[in-house]
Amino acid sequence: MDKNFDVIVVGGGHAGCEAAASAARCGARTLLLTHRLETLGEMSCNPAIGGVGKGHLVREVDALDGLMARAADAAAIHVKMLNRSKGPAVRGPRAQADRKLYRRAVRELLAGQPGLTIIATAAEGIEIAADGGIAAVLTGDGGRFGCGALVVTTGTFLRGEIRIGEQRIPAGRAGDEPAVGLALAFERLGLPLARLKTGTPPRLDGRTIDWQALEAQPGDDPPEPLSWMTDRITNRQIVCGITATTPATHAVIRANLHQSAVYGGRIQGVGPRYCPSIEDKVVRFAERERHQIFLEPEGLDDDTVYPNGISTSLPEGVQAAMIASIPGLGRARIVRPGYAIEYDHVDPRALTPALEVRSVPRLFLAGQINGTTGYEEAAAQGLMAGLNAAQRASGGLPDRVLTRSEAYAGVLVDDLVLQGVSEPYRMLTARAEHRLVLRSDNAGLRLTERGIAWGCVGNERAARHRAFAAATADALARAQADGATPAALATGGIAVNQDGKRRSVLEVLALPGVDAAAVDQAFPWLRDLSPALRAQLEAEALYAPYLRRQEAEMRLLEREERTRIPDGLDFSSIPGLSTEMRQRLSAARPATLGSAGRLAGITPAAIAALAVALRRDEVRST
């Protein structure tokens, strides 16, 4: 076998699978190294993909022809559109998946990807070339694989340790060895390492749960696919259960906090604020008497149930007492205890916006190694890192970067490389300044044409996208041109001010509480639109006044983002910058004037001085 590749990806989790597939889609000869073939695409924590903010990322990965949404649709057994009662901008698609079906779908998608080789072996070291960049990956069985670029996606494996009470188990996740060799290699390269932690709840035997005593949570009917390439979801859909902790549960936890790995002082890593352990919840929200728990079956033919909302590092005996105090779980049997896991991550401020390590050319990092939490954040980073690794392996072609105004993936990467992390980063809609534009429903319209230009979108998706984009443009143009007078609308049962001013179809669709049947009666051509096209038209109508304002803001931001800061710029030579500003800019090395303005502590005066210096240098070079 040829042991030289354009791109090597280490790690077969969500980031690694997307990185390997995206690099191969761009034509790079790609090798994916993973500990075990059977755990490719493993859902290590909760059995679900998407949600608010996270679902936006999934749709964006899908728009660039990634794997996650298609795999989730193939495995979906409980689908909901979260925040359906709110505006389209904050609705989040979420699919609970059958774990086995999800792994199988990922493996099949990877197996069908031309140019991709997959080998089960552990990466233990890195060989550096004479120019200081990546030359090869060294494996635990003595192998050497040369590469033009390397993407490392180790998840929680980098010197990972599981903690259950006083137990301490070296592991990347339950049942898998940690990646120690790579951690040592990163130390030798001088990369800034720190510790973070995350956790998982105990798994329960669904046959021992009193489902009749619990509130039922059905999914949507019909279930809406996550991927644009999925026509409909065909799996049998299940009903989940809802329960909650009680004062008795909290009493058990408080009495045993000293035995918790986190509260007993046995873990130094910081955990995720937006997905806290049940110990954290009881301590931080002491006034609350109950915390909701969603009981999520892990498969159609699997009795294991994931109790979402009670991750813990308490000893097994305490976990059993805690579970027994929860309504509906009095007889529930724990099939695997919950645990916390502490692991190394690299300070993402050491990366460029292309997710390349500044000090080690051709080395890219993606996923939890960059301080994030969640499958979706990992997948988005993996896809972007794979695209850029393929570019670098092809001889230093331009970076593939999405800005904050273009995608949630752009917000994610920008936040990481500029601000760093003090805790595991989770995507929230509130992090996006332009969330009215960056909706989950229009991800394809925003990004697929870009993906076609980048060479990472296949012909079938390109054809579907262009047909829908053309239909959307036609429908918007017709909705702006077509309309009726207030008198005609009133005759049809649509109440508007009788001011004599003609209303376009877009304006009518934006009216609060307007009756859809009355609108269809007034403008019959709307009935011929597909549900997806009708939803797109209604979203554009709802946000039209705000979108015009955001588009003006985005144009200003884009001008700032186009103003590049040279890699070797000496900030100490710029007049008007204080010592503090020079130090902050030198440490962060922002790529553009826009990103410099988003650095913590950078003043408007400093940005003005930097802008003057950049314009002066531009004039000199012309």
Side-chain angles (χ1 to χ4, degrees):
M1 185 187 69
D2 184 1
K3 291 197 172 185
N4 291 289
F5 293 84
D6 296 324
V7 174
I8 295 179
V9 177
V10 172
H14 303 284
C17 290
E18 295 290 355
S22 66
R25 288 199 305 278
C26 290
R29 291 179 301 109
T30 305
L31 171 64
L32 174 59
L33 298 177
T34 181
H35 277 80
R36 292 190 291 149
L37 296 179
E38 58 268 29
T39 57
L40 277 173
E42 180 73 53
M43 304 178 86
S44 302
C45 193
N46 65 306
I49 299 292
V52 179
K54 290 172 174 286
H56 292 70
L57 288 173
V58 176
R59 286 274 173 84
E60 291 179 352
V61 168
D62 185 63
L64 294 170
D65 225 3
L67 313 179
M68 178 169 274
R70 283 180 284 166
D73 287 343
I77 57 176
H78 183 276
V79 179
K80 286 188 77 70
M81 179 64 75
L82 305 185
N83 281 349
R84 188 178 289 279
S85 62
K86 299 183 180 180
V90 293
R91 291 176 190 161
R94 182 180 189 269
Q96 186 180 320
D98 179 307
R99 290 185 187 274
K100 295 177 186 175
L101 292 180
Y102 188 86
R103 286 197 305 269
R104 185 173 76 186
V106 170
R107 286 200 300 269
E108 289 176 353
L109 287 166
L110 291 175
Q113 176 58 58
L116 176 60
T117 300
I118 305 174
I119 296 178
T121 187
E124 291 291 335
I126 294 171
E127 183 179 307
I128 300 299
D131 66 354
I134 291 296
V137 175
L138 309 177
T139 62
D141 56 8
R144 178 191 182 279
F145 294 94
C147 60
L150 170 65
V151 184
V152 177
T153 68
T154 47
T156 58
F157 278 67
L158 213 59
R159 265 192 300 227
E161 285 191 336
I162 285 176
R163 304 294 184 90
I164 307 172
E166 294 187 359
Q167 282 185 280
R168 179 173 173 175
I169 308 164
R173 62 178 167 230
D176 287 308
E177 294 294 316
V180 177
L182 279 179
L184 296 175
F186 284 171
E187 279 187 343
R188 288 192 293 270
L189 291 173
L191 300 191
L193 297 171
R195 299 287 274 179
L196 290 175
K197 75 100 176 171
T198 188
T200 191
R203 306 302 202 272
L204 307 178
D205 183 343
R207 297 167 298 183
T208 63
I209 293 173
D210 184 3
W211 295 100
Q212 299 303 314
L214 302 175
E215 176 187 349
Q217 185 194 41
D220 291 343
D221 185 19
E224 179 181 330
L226 269 70
S227 173
W228 186 247
M229 302 301 290
T230 303
D231 295 321
R232 65 187 182 92
I233 290 172
T234 58
N235 292 328
R236 174 171 62 86
Q237 299 294 287
I238 63 168
V239 175
C240 297
I242 302 176
T243 185
T245 59
T246 65
T249 312
H250 299 181
V252 170
I253 294 168
R254 289 192 186 98
N256 291 280
L257 277 176
H258 63 287
Q259 296 192 71
S260 163
V262 176
Y263 280 87
R266 288 175 282 278
I267 288 183
Q268 282 71 50
V270 180
R273 178 186 311 188
Y274 299 104
C275 189
S277 68
I278 189 60
E279 296 99 298
D280 285 330
K281 291 179 182 179
V282 168
V283 171
R284 287 164 50 189
F285 309 107
E287 73 285 356
R288 293 186 57 176
E289 293 189 348
R290 65 195 302 272
H291 292 284
Q292 199 166 53
I293 303 168
F294 295 93
L295 298 173
E296 302 175 338
E298 296 195 352
L300 294 174
D301 61 352
D302 187 345
D303 294 317
T304 308
V305 171
Y306 182 95
N308 198 335
I310 51 170
S311 68
T312 182
S313 63
L314 288 163
E316 291 185 45
V318 178
Q319 291 186 38
M322 176 182 74
I323 292 295
S325 69
I326 296 171
L329 306 184
R331 299 183 303 106
R333 183 176 70 88
I334 295 176
V335 297
R336 195 183 83 187
Y339 60 82
I341 184 165
E342 191 175 25
Y343 55 93
D344 283 355
H345 81 99
V346 174
D347 185 338
R349 290 174 295 184
L351 308 178
T352 72
L355 297 177
E356 183 177 17
V357 177
R358 285 197 185 91
S359 60
V360 187
R362 304 184 297 282
L363 172 60
F364 296 81
L365 307 180
Q368 285 180 279
I369 192 173
N370 289 340
T372 59
T373 182
Y375 307 149
E376 304 82 2
E377 292 86 348
Q381 292 174 72
L383 186 145
M384 297 306 297
L387 295 180
N388 282 299
Q391 288 291 96
R392 202 66 76 246
S394 296
L397 297 176
D399 291 344
R400 304 306 198 193
V401 175
L402 295 170
T403 67
R404 300 182 72 89
S405 63
E406 292 176 311
Y408 271 84
V411 174
L412 166 67
V413 173
D414 188 66
D415 282 349
L416 292 175
V417 302
L418 278 181
Q419 311 297 345
V421 297
S422 57
E423 61 192 37
Y425 179 103
R426 176 178 181 170
M427 180 48 66
L428 308 168
T429 55
R431 297 190 191 275
E433 303 92 325
H434 307 293
R435 56 185 172 274
L436 300 186
V437 177
L438 309 181
R439 305 188 305 273
S440 65
D441 64 89
N442 68 359
L445 293 174
R446 288 187 282 115
L447 297 177
T448 300
E449 200 63 45
R450 176 72 65 87
I452 293 170
W454 285 351
C456 66
V457 170
N459 293 334
E460 184 182 357
R461 183 183 297 272
R464 282 200 183 199
H465 158 72
R466 285 177 168 159
F468 183 73
T472 301
D474 289 344
L476 280 170
R478 186 170 183 181
Q480 288 167 338
D482 195 5
T485 64
L489 292 171
T491 301
I494 301 172
V496 295
N497 291 334
Q498 295 300 307
D499 53 10
K501 180 183 175 184
R502 181 178 180 276
R503 305 297 200 277
S504 71
V505 174
L506 273 184
E507 290 173 308
V508 173
L509 287 172
L511 292 172
V514 67
D515 181 63
V519 176
D520 287 352
Q521 184 69 29
F523 308 103
W525 63 271
L526 290 173
R527 298 192 190 111
D528 298 329
L529 300 180
S530 69
L533 190 51
R534 178 65 178 263
Q536 195 66 226
L537 199 61
E538 291 176 349
E540 293 294 326
L542 177 64
Y543 291 127
Y546 310 101
L547 292 176
R548 286 192 291 271
R549 188 182 315 146
Q550 284 206 349
E551 284 168 3
E553 295 171 355
M554 288 162 61
R555 284 194 295 272
L556 176 61
L557 178 62
E558 286 167 4
R559 285 199 298 271
E560 293 178 341
E561 293 298 336
R562 285 196 298 268
T563 305
R564 308 291 299 177
I565 298 175
D567 290 339
L569 181 64
D570 181 7
F571 292 104
S572 66
S573 68
I574 297 176
L577 288 181
S578 68
T579 300
E580 180 189 356
M581 295 300 102
R582 290 169 177 170
Q583 289 173 345
R584 288 180 183 271
L585 289 166
S586 297
R589 304 301 313 180
T592 67
L593 185 63
S595 58
R598 293 189 295 275
L599 285 172
I602 296 297
T603 64
I607 294 302
L610 180 56
V612 169
L614 292 173
R615 281 198 295 271
R616 185 177 61 242
D617 290 347
E618 183 180 359
V619 170
R620 286 175 179 170
S621 63
T622 56

